[in-house]
Amino acid sequence: MTSYRLDAGGAINRAQALTFTFDGQSFKGLDGDTVASALLANDQMLMARSFKYHRPRGVVTAGSSEPNALLTIGSGLRAEPNARATVTELYDGLVTTSQNRWPSLKTDIGAVNGLLSPFLGAGFYYKTFMWPASFWEKLYEPLIRRAAGLGKLVLQPDPDRYEKCWAHCDLLVIGAGPAGLMAALVAGRSGARVILADESFTLGGSLLSENVAIGETPASEFAKRTIEELASLPNVTLMPRTTVFGWYDDMVFGAVERVQKHVASPSPDLPMERLWRIVAKRAILASGAEERPLVFGGNDKPGVMTAGAVRSYLNRYGVAVGSRLAIFTNGGSGYRTAADLTARGIKVTAIIDARQQAPDLGPDGVRVIRNGAVVATKGRHRLESLIAERAGFQEVIDCDALAMSGGWSPIVHLMCQRGAKPIWSEEKQAFMAPNVGGAFVAAGGAHGADTIYACLRDGAAKAAAMMGELGFSAYQATLPEVEGEYDPSFAPVWYVPGAKDKAFVDFQNDVHVGDLGIAQREGFRHIEHTKRYTTSGMATDQGKLGNVNTAGIVAGMRGVSPAEIGTTTFRPFYTPVSFGALAGAARGEHAAPVRTSPLHGWAKKNGATFVESGLWYRSAWFAKEGEKTWRDSVDREVLNVRANAGLCDVSTLGKIEIFGAGAAEFLNRVYCNGFLKLPVGKARYGLMLREDGIVFDDGTTSRLSEQHYVMTTTTAYAAEVMAHLEFCAQTFWPELDVRFVFVTDEWAQMSLAGPKARIILSRIVEDDISNVAFSFLAVRTVTLRGGLKARLFRISFSGELAYELAVPAGYGEAVADAIMEAGREEAICAYGVEALNVLRIEKGFVTHNELDGRTTADDVGLGKMMAMQKADFIGKRLSTRFGLTAADRLQLVGLKPVEADKEIKAGAHLLKENAKPSLANDQGFVSSACFSPTLGGFIALAMLKSGRERTGEHIVVWDALRGAEVPAEVCQPVFFDPDNTRLHL
Amino acid sequence: MASLITCPHCGTRPKEEFSIRGAAAPRRPSPAARDEVWHRYVYVRDNPKGRYEEYWHHAAGCRRWLVVDRDNLTHEVFGVTDATDHLTAEAGE
Amino acid sequence: MRYSAYSIFKQAFSGNRLWTPAWREPQPKTHYDVIIIGGGGHGLSTAYYLAKEFGITNVAVLEKGYIGSGNVGRNTTIIRSNYLLEGNNPFYELSLQLWEGLEKDFNYNAMVSQRGIVTLFHSDSQRDDYARRGNGMRMHGVDAELLDREQVRRMMPYLNFDHARFPILGGLYQKRGGTVRHDAVAWGYARGADQRGVDVIQHCEVTGIRRENGVVVGVETTKGFIGCSKLALAAAGNTTTVGRMADLDLPIETHVLQAFVSEGLKPVIDHVITYGAGHFYISQSDKGGLVFGAGLDFYSSYAQRGNLQTVEHTMEEGVTMIPGLSRAKVLRAWAGVMDMSMDGSPIIDRTPIDNLYLNCGWCYGGFKATPASGFCFAHLIARNEPHHVARFMRLDRFERGYMIDEAGKGPQPNLH
């Protein structure tokens, strides 16, 4: 045994053994373990392979910055790739597997890359694989891709659910170590609403790992008591297992809570993860400090880890990471580690101190090599010994693990996400948190405090100051004494030169000092260039462990201070966040809200097939028994509307009520055609332009009374039109007295069309709706049999005698039923939007197929609607630009295939006969097409260059995409009843 | 700004409730203005880096158009006014 | 130094100690024939083609930061030429053709990977739109295929076919579309330009444009005054700021677009896929990261960072399109600042000032345009007339009423 569980100690529940598997082998761990601590307790140091050279790797850390020990946790649909073993909470039955190795973790063929490493230096791939050109995609890239990535993603639907919440507080404390706990305690005692979030499953941070006494109790006991006290305060919310990943504008923090990641059998009643947007008046960053690895040859050997990690495994998890440890340090952390280890009876074979002189003393009987360095490590799958060098002399040091300490870097990530850069401190030899204003400050280790006492004091002071700013009377905390702290000072050692083996700065991406050198030599000197060229800092830890070393080493190579080199940009996410958590419940069928019409039930019972239309589901057609295809149904519906009558749900059209003394003038300005003279009781088709003169939307607007109109819009543009009207009213013409109410959902609206429409309608309407009393475009509030008031519009989108009847939404289905019943003898049918579309194409009415955001009124033959004599309307001035009035613009025409049974499809382009396909010869495109059962052939609407003067011309409908070329004749866009006689029946 | 907006009618609300149109500075010219003036109104933008007035619509709230006075580099918000009030104040100046 | 397998072999045996700088770090000369403001993809490619195709080598590229620090290094690396309109399609096709020969041309492996792009459609009318676009592409000789639902399913069985809010009915497929290693594009062009005599000058911010008698004579910079005969702006994201130094009126609003990368994963997504019921697009890099993005943050911003709502919305669309993404973890979000033009299309043109040239308005489509943009801009600068495929991308097209409105959204930049 080299690493093993000690008999006593640690914040683990020894009564609760947990079984788990790693690469199929069964292990036992304890409640309170991470996967990493449990594996170490079982002497499993080898946990992973690196990305590029497939080198054997163990843990380097005991926290969230872990670059090496990435495992796949879980199996089947719940498998999560790239989980950090060092923060993954162990549970009974957990299944975990190693990644990026074949055939096994111990024997990985990919390790051959290590032999080729002289050829695989920084940026090698930019310089080769270019010949012959076709080999890149066929040979080189597939090889590279096969080697890419770490874990395997199961690209199957996730069985779990996720949710999102907002939270609000006076003070958000990020990190529950000594500074965070004290800050939360002060704020909580002061009466402020506090949220204390920590990424770990146990609050306490470094207090769980450090062997000091606080107020005469062990640090972990102090943490426990403080947490209990916080939990007793109703104004404090404790959020363990919650990572604050991003700081956004207005003091909004993004956080993800791992609700059930640690549960063997997740409850379906709870989310797997929960996204929090925390709105905080103030926030304290108490994220602590990261211990820097030392950069020396072979510093990636399994068993080499930070000194703090060794103490964490020892003190928090009761695990000795080795039986004979060596220590390589440049400061007090190494000595503290030696002391902790020897106190627990674990042998420390040597302390190698990079400093010439140091205030620290090793434990009794432990040899200290001052002014020393580690220059090589031995061992294959874990450290077996190392070579230390002092004054030119080398010696072998026996060890099975090495604790290294290269000093400390405050964890300032979150504070630098909004543009501020961390600032180099010569005194601290670290990049410090920038000043980002008083609302968000760093405290404790994140602020450079380097003893536990200093952290407690800083946390309390920062919180107290904020309490004052927020108007609370700050609670005066009594700071406890801390006994047994070590001297935290250190002297920088960026790199131990002269090693044969690679000295890594970015462990996961296998970036070593040699790569940084290549980047400098080749001119990739800016730190962002260095990063991008070498990939240092681009791994899943985003440089948490290595970036400061990279800056220090590059500074050394260039002979400047790290201040001049600076850091790369800090960006969300602090640690990786799942798609699932960020997406929440908006997925699958719930990706977007569903809108159904008040007549949905009516349509359903009449056999409708529904089709998505924006957020709506609209009835597309109503299949009858014996109809084999949708076309069968649509053809029948169309013919029946033309011959008898049909009822169609048009409730999805946008409906806007417009009120006010200025309404008439307002409409006159937003529509390009005139609206001032629209009489009460009449509807008018209106065309709305954008300010650039292009058609925006169309619809009808009816005057219900002197100062009351109701406007309809297309289904697709309802919201846009409403926003547009409000914009015009509020910013262009606030002097006009006009108000809008969006009533699309308040009314069920149905179109009753066909020569027998009036007969049918007269059976349910009390009022006189004869052609004389209620002529084309008439509008009136009518009374239905039984007393219901309804709005009746005589408007038509089918070219038939037609009415639109609007009733309050709740009555829709009953009224539609009544109409169907009243029309039974007249053979009324339900018809859907497909038939509606055929009917309108036969009549040459345009929709957004034609009005595609690039067409003018004139393009679609509605130029004469533009009332240019009006002083002003939206779009008037820019509509006259040369390009919008040019003779060669695309204009709306009809198309009939020369052979009527040849299908024309929308999306085809148009060519002159015998012309070669080319953009220069492109004559336009088919905008709408259908089979017209009325005419017994295919017809289409098209936008054709100078189309209106080309009636009668034969043209080729060119549809290479679907392998068709159909000769067609250009015709008027109105195929049926061009004189509109049927409208006025 | 990017996260929360204090609507003068509804109070502080999340960005999710708003839709954004663009620069609030351009003023719709009089119908009689020259073509050049109309062109500038529709197509030319000052697009300053820094303090900037922008039209936001409280679409999922009071349905009022607002002028958000903000810094488009730091995302600091200096004030939010109802668009109509903003125009009135401007006219009064 | 010419790069090849041999050069790597040779260097390896000298401990990789003899690599030479990819480009010089020259001090500015007093005068250049052409100064290009902006050391991004477009500025560097312009310099490269000026030198290589038009024989103009007395050229400086001035970059206020480090080269490639703008959008060429913060995009989703997609290349394609599946455009609808005549004003765009031939231009982007030229760009794609240049991509196809790029590595040999500039002796740098930018990993042009034509893995194919599929743009999904979810309704009949969207299918018609894409058919129109695809037929337009075919008319220009560009590859395009209309896939039905089953064809898409065979290529990408992991898409949401069974529980989609907006069903996948098919897709428009361009086989020649793909991805490129973005940083390498800037570096390859910089190295190629440098080798041909162009001075690439980093950390040199232009603070003023000096004019005499209405003609540009040079620029004030943080490294002093530098004279030039012709001045070319290729500073997307900062076009207005630089343009104001010459009193240019521009149809530009600056917006921010976010992009994302996941942790490294074994290859699961082979193509570039674009969601038709939203804005989401995704591909997987050769390193294993899923690279993806969606829509704008919608407010004007010069800050290279985005908001959380857009992040959430992007992931919602991603999981909606590919349910299996749910357990993948997002590693990093970044944001690019871009010129949104008033019709969603770029401008490559002369300006009212005779020797001042303008390249801007790339919206979020600038990366794929990099080679053609440089080529056409170089043509314009050298010949003083637009390249044929860029002849619609004029500054005065708005006044004349010849917008190139691919999205049909009109003069509101954040809708394009």
Side-chain angles (χ1 to χ4, degrees):
Chain A
M1 283 296 244
T2 53
S3 68
Y4 57 98
R5 181 92 60 188
L6 295 160
D7 292 336
I12 39 169
N13 180 2
R14 289 175 185 269
Q16 177 98 42
L18 306 172
T19 306
F20 70 104
T21 67
F22 174 60
D23 281 346
Q25 195 185 339
S26 184
F27 291 103
K28 289 252 189 269
L30 295 173
D31 181 34
D33 260 332
T34 61
V35 169
S37 67
L39 285 171
L40 290 172
N42 287 280
D43 198 22
Q44 181 67 45
M45 180 62 79
L46 179 65
M47 295 186 199
R49 291 276 174 170
S50 65
F51 177 73
K52 190 169 168 186
Y53 301 134
H54 291 250
R55 289 168 73 106
R57 293 286 167 82
V59 292
V60 197
T61 72
S64 58
S65 58
E66 176 59 34
N68 281 345
L70 268 55
L71 305 175
T72 296
I73 304 285
S75 59
L77 297 180
R78 288 206 165 99
E80 180 194 337
N82 300 342
R84 287 154 293 156
T86 49
V87 292
T88 302
E89 191 171 352
L90 191 68
Y91 56 83
D92 198 47
L94 180 143
V95 175
T96 178
T97 41
S98 59
Q99 307 183 148
N100 197 36
R101 81 289 186 268
W102 187 85
S104 74
L105 187 57
K106 268 197 158 166
T107 316
D108 178 11
I109 297 292
V112 71
N113 285 359
L115 300 176
L116 299 173
S117 66
F119 310 103
L120 308 182
F124 77 96
Y125 30 72
Y126 301 125
K127 299 167 183 162
T128 185
F129 301 135
M130 288 179 274
W131 300 271
S134 63
F135 272 39
W136 170 249
E137 272 131 340
K138 289 197 186 118
L139 178 67
Y140 303 133
E141 191 184 35
L143 283 174
I144 289 176
R145 277 181 91 77
R146 205 168 302 155
L150 293 168
K152 278 202 183 82
L153 177 68
V154 181
L155 210 53
Q156 295 287 322
D158 188 331
D160 295 313
R161 60 185 196 84
Y162 299 81
E163 68 182 29
K164 299 182 185 182
C165 301
W166 286 88
H168 300 260
C169 62
D170 295 312
L171 176 66
L172 168 67
V173 180
I174 302 159
L181 284 178
M182 276 315 278
L185 187 67
V186 166
R189 282 280 173 217
S190 306
R193 285 189 305 166
V194 178
I195 291 174
L196 174 61
D198 192 285
E199 61 187 355
S200 180
F201 48 89
T202 309
L203 302 180
S206 63
L207 297 176
L208 305 175
S209 300
E210 293 298 348
N211 191 15
V212 295
I214 303 178
E216 294 174 3
T217 62
S220 58
E221 185 60 28
F222 171 80
K224 202 175 148 204
R225 281 192 210 161
T226 311
I227 292 155
E228 278 166 11
E229 184 175 358
L230 288 168
S232 73
L233 296 174
N235 51 326
V236 174
T237 305
L238 300 179
M239 297 182 73
R241 301 188 179 92
T242 302
T243 303
V244 179
F245 61 76
W247 176 37
Y248 297 91
D249 294 329
D250 306 318
M251 291 295 284
V252 173
F253 292 82
V256 64
E257 180 186 1
R258 290 171 295 280
V259 181
Q260 295 200 89
K261 279 279 181 189
H262 59 295
V263 176
S265 311
S267 158
D269 298 331
L270 285 171
M272 178 54 55
E273 296 181 90
R274 190 180 280 136
L275 177 77
W276 289 96
R277 301 95 151 196
I278 302 173
V279 184
K281 288 189 182 132
R282 293 286 187 278
I284 288 178
L285 182 69
S287 46
E290 190 77 52
E291 193 164 31
R292 302 203 285 255
L294 286 163
V295 183
F296 54 92
N299 63 341
D300 66 327
K301 198 82 63 188
V304 178
M305 65 187 81
T306 64
V310 172
R311 294 204 298 281
S312 269
Y313 290 116
L314 183 71
N315 296 327
R316 176 170 173 179
Y317 302 104
V319 171
V321 299
S323 55
R324 308 176 314 282
L325 275 91
I327 287 164
F328 183 20
T329 188
N330 65 349
S333 173
Y335 291 85
R336 164 48 50 100
T337 307
D340 284 5
L341 288 166
T342 48
R344 303 295 298 276
I346 301 157
K347 186 171 171 59
V348 175
T349 54
I351 297 174
I352 301 145
D353 191 332
R355 298 169 295 181
Q356 177 77 51
Q357 288 180 321
D360 309 280
L361 293 172
D364 283 349
V366 174
R367 181 171 166 224
V368 176
I369 304 171
R370 294 201 197 275
N371 201 19
V374 177
V375 295
T377 57
K378 303 280 177 192
R380 194 151 156 256
H381 290 140
R382 83 166 285 167
L383 186 66
E384 287 166 8
S385 66
L386 57 79
I387 297 176
E389 186 179 278
R390 180 173 181 271
F393 293 97
Q394 295 193 341
E395 67 174 297
V396 176
I397 305 282
D398 174 48
C399 60
D400 57 6
L402 174 69
M404 59 181 167
S405 178
W408 297 85
S409 300
I411 299 173
V412 299
H413 194 299
L414 280 171
M415 281 195 133
C416 300
Q417 284 183 358
R418 295 176 67 245
K421 293 267 184 188
I423 298 153
W424 177 254
S425 160
E426 275 300 324
E427 183 209 334
K428 297 269 181 191
Q429 287 292 307
F431 286 100
M432 307 295 289
N435 181 356
V436 295
F440 189 25
V441 302
H447 186 58
D450 45 17
T451 63
I452 286 176
Y453 182 77
C455 288
L456 294 170
R457 186 182 55 197
D458 197 29
K462 295 275 167 61
M466 284 179 166
M467 289 303 102
E469 290 161 21
L470 291 174
F472 293 95
S473 159
Y475 168 76
Q476 297 297 320
T478 323
L479 288 177
E481 298 275 321
V482 181
E483 280 173 43
E485 301 225 50
Y486 64 88
D487 183 331
S489 64
F490 64 91
V493 175
W494 294 115
Y495 164 50
V496 179
K500 269 198 186 149
D501 199 0
K502 295 178 188 67
F504 290 94
V505 287
D506 185 313
F507 290 102
Q508 189 184 118
N509 274 355
D510 281 330
V511 181
H512 55 92
V513 175
D515 291 322
L516 300 180
I518 292 178
Q520 301 314 301
R521 281 194 281 287
E522 294 199 72
F524 295 88
R525 292 155 66 86
H526 193 285
I527 193 66
E528 294 280 1
H529 274 162
T530 303
K531 167 189 165 181
R532 287 155 184 258
Y533 196 61
T534 64
T535 75
S536 181
M538 290 169 78
T540 58
D541 64 309
Q542 291 283 285
K544 284 187 180 61
L545 218 51
N547 272 2
V548 178
N549 280 336
T550 299
I553 292 166
V554 168
M557 288 173 173
R558 303 251 297 270
V560 299
S561 157
E564 249 178 79
I565 302 299
T567 60
T568 54
T569 312
F570 291 85
R571 295 187 179 281
F573 304 84
Y574 171 63
T575 53
V577 182
S578 73
F579 265 80
L582 288 163
R587 58 179 73 203
E589 285 96 343
H590 308 294
V594 169
R595 295 182 80 182
T596 54
S597 143
L599 296 178
H600 196 78
W602 166 80
K604 207 167 181 177
K605 71 190 176 202
N606 281 277
T609 296
F610 293 95
V611 65
E612 298 80 5
S613 174
L615 296 179
W616 292 100
Y617 282 94
R618 299 185 70 180
S619 37
W621 66 85
F622 295 80
K624 294 265 190 216
E625 218 174 300
E627 289 171 348
K628 291 195 180 73
T629 68
W630 65 276
R631 262 280 308 283
D632 292 345
S633 307
V634 173
D635 288 355
R636 170 186 50 76
E637 289 169 21
V638 169
L639 290 172
N640 197 60
V641 170
R642 296 260 184 251
N644 302 304
L647 188 67
C648 182
D649 178 10
V650 294
S651 306
T652 62
L653 294 178
K655 296 181 277 295
I656 299 168
E657 307 236 3
I658 303 170
F659 300 90
E665 176 63 27
F666 179 83
L667 288 167
N668 204 45
R669 294 183 194 177
V670 293
Y671 278 126
C672 73
N673 50 322
F675 266 82
L676 280 182
K677 291 178 188 159
L678 177 67
V680 171
K682 278 289 181 186
R684 179 169 291 174
Y685 176 71
L687 199 60
M688 238 179 247
L689 309 185
R690 301 189 309 229
E691 199 70 276
D692 65 352
I694 298 292
V695 177
F696 175 43
D697 198 42
D698 66 347
T700 59
T701 288
S702 306
R703 193 167 199 171
L704 301 180
S705 70
E706 197 57 32
Q707 297 187 10
H708 181 193
Y709 295 78
V710 61
M711 172 187 283
T712 63
T713 74
T714 61
T715 299
Y717 276 66
E720 282 89 339
V721 169
M722 180 67 182
H724 173 68
L725 299 183
E726 288 168 327
F727 185 76
C728 293
Q730 294 171 30
T731 74
F732 293 161
W733 311 303
E735 72 282 2
L736 289 181
D737 173 21
V738 59
R739 293 289 184 276
F740 314 96
V741 188
F742 194 72
V743 295
T744 302
D745 296 292
E746 322 303 322
W747 296 88
Q749 193 148 324
M750 55 208 97
S751 172
L752 176 60
K756 295 176 182 167
R758 185 181 296 120
I759 302 169
I760 298 167
L761 196 62
S762 64
R763 290 179 188 144
I764 68 156
V765 173
E766 301 267 12
D767 306 55
D768 178 4
I769 54 165
S770 65
N771 197 30
V772 179
F774 199 71
S775 60
F776 183 56
L777 295 178
V779 172
R780 190 181 302 160
T781 297
V782 295
T783 307
L784 305 187
R785 300 256 151 104
L788 181 69
K789 298 284 183 197
R791 286 179 185 165
L792 188 65
F793 307 82
R794 189 165 164 194
I795 51 181
S796 175
F797 198 50
S798 57
E800 296 299 322
L801 165 68
Y803 300 87
E804 286 189 13
L805 184 68
V807 298
Y811 292 96
E813 190 168 338
V815 171
D817 287 345
I819 293 175
M820 293 299 282
E821 184 57 36
R824 199 199 314 226
E825 282 172 27
E826 276 70 32
I828 191 173
C829 72
Y831 70 103
V833 288
E834 290 294 345
L836 187 73
N837 196 40
V838 173
L839 291 162
R840 72 96 190 166
I841 294 173
E842 290 177 345
K843 285 294 292 180
F845 293 143
V846 293
T847 64
H848 280 295
N849 288 21
E850 287 73 33
L851 307 175
D852 65 359
R854 289 173 286 262
T855 40
T856 66
D858 186 61
D859 293 343
V860 291
L862 300 175
K864 59 186 180 301
M865 282 182 71
M866 303 213 335
M868 297 306 280
Q869 72 280 8
K870 288 198 285 190
D872 187 16
F873 61 82
I874 301 282
K876 179 185 175 189
R877 285 300 298 270
L878 268 64
S879 69
T880 57
R881 285 176 292 168
F882 182 77
L884 296 190
T885 52
D888 65 346
R889 284 186 66 85
L890 303 181
Q891 293 172 336
L892 180 71
V893 296
L895 291 180
K896 284 187 205 169
V898 172
E899 297 168 55
D901 61 344
K902 282 271 169 23
E903 184 175 6
I904 298 176
K905 288 181 174 171
H909 280 237
L910 305 173
L911 280 174
K912 284 182 181 165
E913 282 187 311
N914 303 317
K916 277 191 174 167
S918 74
L919 284 187
N921 288 335
D922 195 354
Q923 297 295 297
F925 69 97
V926 177
S927 55
S928 301
C930 69
F931 178 79
S932 164
T934 315
L935 302 167
F938 287 94
I939 57 170
L941 298 177
M943 301 300 293
L944 175 66
K945 263 186 191 168
S946 315
R948 282 200 290 276
E949 59 193 44
R950 294 170 71 172
T951 302
E953 185 179 325
H954 278 216
I955 202 159
V956 174
V957 177
W958 190 82
D959 196 354
L961 216 50
R962 291 168 289 202
E965 281 187 38
V966 180
E969 185 188 323
V970 178
C971 60
Q972 295 291 327
V974 186
F975 296 90
F976 180 72
D977 188 26
D979 301 325
N980 291 327
T981 52
R982 300 170 73 93
L983 285 179
H984 299 277
L985 282 176
Chain B
M1 172 277 323
S3 307
L4 303 170
I5 284 287
T6 301
C7 170
H9 309 292
C10 311
T12 302
R13 307 297 309 162
K15 175 184 176 294
E16 282 82 340
E17 293 184 358
F18 299 83
S19 63
I20 303 151
R21 180 185 171 100
R27 289 282 165 273
R28 193 166 186 271
S30 86
R34 287 177 300 118
D35 283 354
E36 163 64 14
V37 176
W38 273 95
H39 162 72
R40 290 185 63 87
Y41 164 65
V42 175
Y43 288 111
V44 176
R45 293 290 177 270
D46 284 347
N47 194 32
K49 183 191 283 189
R51 196 155 178 167
Y52 181 70
E53 289 183 344
E54 195 169 51
Y55 277 128
W56 289 53
H57 188 210
H58 199 180
C62 58
R63 300 290 304 181
R64 293 296 297 179
W65 281 89
L66 310 173
V67 174
V68 179
D69 178 9
R70 48 179 287 258
D71 188 307
N72 62 14
L73 190 57
T74 66
H75 291 181
E76 184 181 355
V77 177
F78 305 106
V80 185
T81 44
D82 185 281
T84 302
D85 297 343
H86 186 82
L87 290 165
T88 315
E90 202 172 66
E93 271 165 18
Chain C
M1 183 183 294
R2 188 163 175 80
Y3 292 153
S4 65
Y6 174 70
S7 72
I8 288 183
F9 192 70
K10 201 175 89 179
Q11 290 291 330
F13 284 95
S14 46
N16 282 313
R17 280 173 219 286
L18 301 177
W19 289 110
T20 52
W23 44 77
R24 297 165 293 131
E25 291 186 7
Q27 285 305 305
K29 296 190 249 179
T30 52
H31 187 273
Y32 291 93
D33 293 340
V34 179
I35 284 179
I36 298 163
I37 302 179
H42 292 220
L44 292 166
S45 68
T46 303
Y48 175 79
Y49 291 116
L50 269 176
K52 180 166 178 287
E53 300 294 332
F54 301 95
I56 301 174
T57 57
N58 185 25
V59 175
V61 178
L62 307 184
E63 167 55 47
K64 72 172 177 181
Y66 57 95
I67 57 167
S69 52
N71 293 338
V72 72
R74 51 186 86 246
N75 55 72
T76 45
T77 78
I78 298 168
I79 58 168
R80 58 183 174 89
S81 64
N82 55 358
Y83 279 74
L84 172 70
L85 300 175
E86 191 189 1
N88 280 327
N89 182 342
F91 174 85
Y92 287 99
E93 176 55 19
L94 170 66
S95 208
L96 194 53
Q97 287 170 10
L98 290 169
W99 283 120
E100 286 170 333
L102 188 64
E103 287 143 349
K104 278 198 158 168
D105 193 73
F106 67 15
N107 179 230
Y108 207 80
N109 187 358
M111 301 177 208
V112 174
S113 173
Q114 293 180 286
R115 48 190 55 257
I117 179 166
V118 173
T119 307
L120 300 174
F121 57 80
H122 307 262
S123 68
D124 289 352
S125 63
Q126 206 171 21
R127 179 202 55 219
D128 295 346
D129 280 351
Y130 288 4
R132 177 184 169 194
R133 200 202 300 190
N135 275 318
M137 291 162 66
R138 291 281 278 267
M139 215 164 231
H140 186 55
V142 180
D143 70 304
E145 291 170 52
L146 201 64
L147 306 179
D148 64 23
R149 181 179 162 93
E150 288 315 308
Q151 288 171 304
V152 174
R153 193 200 288 266
R154 277 196 292 277
M155 283 168 68
M156 303 160 180
Y158 49 79
L159 296 177
N160 188 356
F161 290 98
D162 300 327
H163 298 282
R165 173 68 177 80
F166 304 103
I168 295 166
L169 302 187
L172 181 65
Y173 181 36
Q174 186 182 21
K175 261 186 190 153
R176 289 163 60 242
T179 58
V180 180
R181 168 81 182 102
H182 58 359
D183 288 324
V185 175
W187 302 338
Y189 276 122
R191 180 169 164 269
D194 176 88
Q195 284 176 343
R196 287 166 177 81
V198 172
D199 283 355
V200 178
I201 303 169
Q202 305 187 73
H203 308 292
C204 179
E205 183 174 358
V206 172
T207 54
I209 294 174
R210 193 187 288 179
R211 278 175 285 175
E212 284 171 13
N213 304 318
V215 173
V216 171
V217 296
V219 290
E220 314 287 349
T221 78
T222 48
K223 298 192 179 199
F225 174 78
I226 310 172
C228 65
S229 308
K230 292 181 175 181
L231 181 63
L233 307 189
N238 287 295
T239 302
T240 302
T241 313
V242 180
R244 189 163 293 130
M245 296 174 191
D247 302 316
L248 292 182
D249 284 336
L250 295 170
I252 301 283
E253 213 172 84
T254 301
H255 284 264
V256 68
L257 181 72
Q258 301 194 56
F260 307 85
V261 66
S262 78
E263 296 180 336
L265 297 162
K266 291 290 169 196
V268 282
I269 291 176
D270 293 332
H271 304 86
V272 182
I273 315 161
T274 303
Y275 187 46
H279 295 104
F280 187 81
Y281 40 88
I282 189 167
S283 66
Q284 188 168 15
S285 80
D286 286 344
K287 232 177 137 255
L290 300 169
V291 181
F292 57 97
L296 292 174
D297 280 14
F298 291 111
Y299 44 74
S300 160
S301 176
Y302 283 87
Q304 285 179 332
R305 58 192 170 81
N307 74 54
L308 182 57
Q309 183 200 0
T310 306
V311 176
E312 292 177 35
H313 194 68
T314 303
M315 308 304 156
E316 287 170 6
E317 290 192 350
V319 170
T320 298
M321 184 172 94
I322 305 178
L325 289 179
S326 184
R327 282 185 126 85
K329 293 192 291 279
V330 193
L331 180 60
R332 188 172 173 90
W334 63 95
V337 172
M338 65 209 71
D339 296 349
M340 294 301 295
S341 71
M342 300 306 274
D343 60 358
S345 293
I347 295 157
I348 302 176
D349 204 358
R350 296 180 295 249
T351 67
I353 300 164
D354 270 349
N355 50 358
L356 180 62
Y357 301 82
L358 181 64
N359 175 322
C360 71
W362 291 98
C363 300
Y364 35 76
F367 179 68
K368 71 181 84 67
T370 305
S373 170
F375 197 94
C376 294
F377 199 32
H379 183 284
L380 178 79
I381 296 163
R383 305 259 173 90
N384 229 26
E385 61 186 47
H387 187 281
H388 181 72
V389 300
R391 69 191 187 282
F392 296 99
M393 297 173 173
R394 310 300 292 273
L395 179 57
D396 68 352
R397 65 178 183 262
F398 303 101
E399 278 173 281
R400 292 183 293 113
Y402 281 95
M403 292 73 73
I404 314 172
D405 192 345
E406 195 81 16
K409 292 295 188 183
Q412 185 177 326
N414 65 1
L415 296 181
H416 288 288

